[in-house]
Amino acid sequence: MTQLHLHGDDRNAISKDYHGNQFVIFDDIPLFWDAWDVMDYHLETRKPISEKLQHVKILDEGPLRASLEFSLKISDKSYIKQVITLDAESPYIRFDTEVTWHENRKFLKVEFPTSIHSMQASYDIQYGHLQRTNHNNTSWDSAQFEVCGHKWADISEHGYGLSLMNDCKYGYSCFDNVLRLSLLRSPKAPDEKADMGVHQFTYAVMPHKGSFQEAGVIQQAYDLNCPLFTTEVQGEVTSTSQSYFKVDNLQIILETVKMCEDQTKDKTVVLRLYECHGGKGKAVLTSSLPVKTAQRCNALEDIIEDTYKSVARIEGDIHLTFQPFEIISIMVEFNL
């Protein structure tokens, strides 16, 4: 049984009565459109995957990393190979997964039954997040058996929670405090070979104190999806760190840095920031490059002349005020 504890807390984030990281498979036969529809009656065909192809093998047991590997049989043609890793100073357990997939109208998911009691769960979407229920009290609640989500999903009660993050999957569900991630389907129409073959993906679970906003789940999910890239350099290397842009408030995400679409402005970039917690916030944006001008613009990169949406620059810093989930784009010209 997988047990996830908080630092300095003896509480188990996974329900003591169930296994965490439980792979399950369902029959997936929609009424009309294989590749587009998911019907709620597939939930009645749940089958846990437990047959081993390879027993657990320890890969790392050093002071900085502990990892193990195992394989499970899905069917005579399909199997799962997974490496579970815990790194020093990492707030989450990572699951690097490879699935050889040759199924016919099956639906593969992974479950984490939690010890958390909540009426709803939160799901990441582009430039924000949304909530869906954790029960089936009404027909509207029942219709939320499969929820769209991007980098993470979270279920929390006061002061405590568990997040499930991933790097390329977009379907979640949460019912009776069981958090699920949808991994693979195998529709046969319009393409009978859709999704057949080898798939590689990563997901992670992160128990946390406080809310997911306070625990930095959003930033950790970005790190999982955009891992640090390293390269060798020639010559002497100093320990000084430097960034082209910095934001002083974790509530504000610098989501995009791109060149201006107007090619005549070769020293101009567009920065797109958004408020990620769902509340009002202020931030100061600084750059290590010499800023000549900074102007608010829209998605078409037209300058916004509204004085109420103007950008305040104080001693070279850019001061911004955000409404909940507000997206702000800034056109910045550098003096290079």
Side-chain angles (χ1 to χ4, degrees), residues 49-328:
I49 297 172
S50 57
E51 185 176 349
K52 300 181 184 69
L53 285 178
Q54 172 193 323
H55 288 284
V56 174
K57 178 174 65 175
I58 296 176
L59 299 181
D60 301 285
E61 49 182 336
L64 297 180
R65 169 171 291 181
S67 66
L68 53 87
E69 180 185 80
F70 65 93
S71 296
L72 297 175
K73 179 181 178 181
I74 300 174
S75 69
D76 292 337
K77 298 177 291 184
S78 303
Y79 60 90
I80 299 167
K81 182 178 180 181
Q82 187 173 77
V83 176
I84 303 177
T85 303
L86 177 61
D87 291 327
E89 301 299 323
S90 174
Y92 54 75
I93 296 178
R94 178 187 178 107
F95 302 83
D96 294 299
T97 311
E98 180 181 292
V99 181
T100 300
W101 184 244
H102 295 285
E103 295 303 301
N104 182 358
R105 295 182 174 90
K106 299 292 184 179
F107 198 165
L108 180 67
K109 301 185 183 186
V110 64
E111 297 180 341
F112 289 89
T114 75
S115 63
I116 297 157
H117 296 278
S118 177
M119 292 291 285
Q120 63 184 16
S122 300
Y123 302 89
D124 173 58
I125 59 173
Q126 188 177 30
Y127 301 124
H129 58 267
L130 49 79
Q131 285 78 38
R132 293 291 183 261
T133 58
N134 180 35
H135 54 76
N136 287 342
N137 289 351
T138 69
S139 59
W140 286 30
D141 299 330
S142 300
Q144 298 172 19
F145 62 89
E146 185 78 8
V147 178
C148 173
H150 288 174
K151 295 183 289 294
W152 56 267
D154 179 88
I155 180 170
S156 294
E157 59 189 44
H158 177 66
Y160 190 89
L162 180 73
S163 291
L164 175 57
M165 305 178 288
N166 86 95
D167 66 350
C168 63
K169 301 300 175 182
Y170 305 103
Y172 296 86
S173 62
C174 190
F175 179 69
D176 278 352
N177 308 314
V178 179
L179 197 54
R180 298 181 180 89
L181 176 64
S182 299
L183 301 177
L184 288 170
R185 297 182 66 209
S186 49
K188 297 305 172 185
D191 181 5
E192 66 178 11
K193 297 181 180 180
D195 294 336
M196 297 297 100
V198 179
H199 297 259
Q200 293 179 324
F201 49 86
T202 297
Y203 57 89
V205 287
M206 176 179 166
H208 59 82
K209 292 183 178 180
S211 67
F212 67 84
Q213 294 98 327
E214 296 167 337
V217 168
I218 298 170
Q219 286 76 17
Q220 293 295 336
Y222 268 104
D223 289 345
L224 182 70
N225 279 264
C226 305
L228 187 67
F229 176 78
T230 61
T231 185
E232 293 186 10
V233 296
Q234 301 297 323
E236 184 178 353
V237 178
T238 67
S239 60
T240 303
S241 64
Q242 188 176 23
S243 177
Y244 287 125
F245 302 100
K246 292 183 180 179
V247 181
D248 71 341
N249 186 351
L250 292 178
Q251 188 179 350
I252 309 303
I253 300 291
L254 175 55
E255 167 69 28
T256 303
V257 179
K258 64 178 291 291
M259 294 301 297
C260 179
E261 292 296 316
D262 186 346
Q263 297 182 0
T264 64
K265 300 178 178 179
D266 60 344
K267 298 178 181 178
T268 303
V269 300
V270 173
L271 310 178
R272 190 159 293 122
L273 306 94
Y274 77 98
E275 193 286 317
C276 67
H277 287 180
K280 296 179 181 179
K282 295 183 178 181
V284 178
L285 172 67
T286 58
S287 176
S288 60
L289 301 173
V291 176
K292 182 178 180 180
T293 62
Q295 297 173 286
R296 183 94 174 256
C297 66
N298 59 23
L300 298 177
E301 301 185 8
D302 299 321
I303 300 300
I304 297 176
E305 302 293 348
D306 190 341
T307 56
Y308 291 101
K309 295 185 177 181
S310 60
V311 173
R313 287 186 60 204
I314 302 175
E315 297 181 353
D317 297 336
I318 300 172
H319 292 249
L320 301 168
T321 300
F322 290 80
Q323 297 296 316
F325 297 131
E326 183 177 12
I327 305 167
I328 292 180

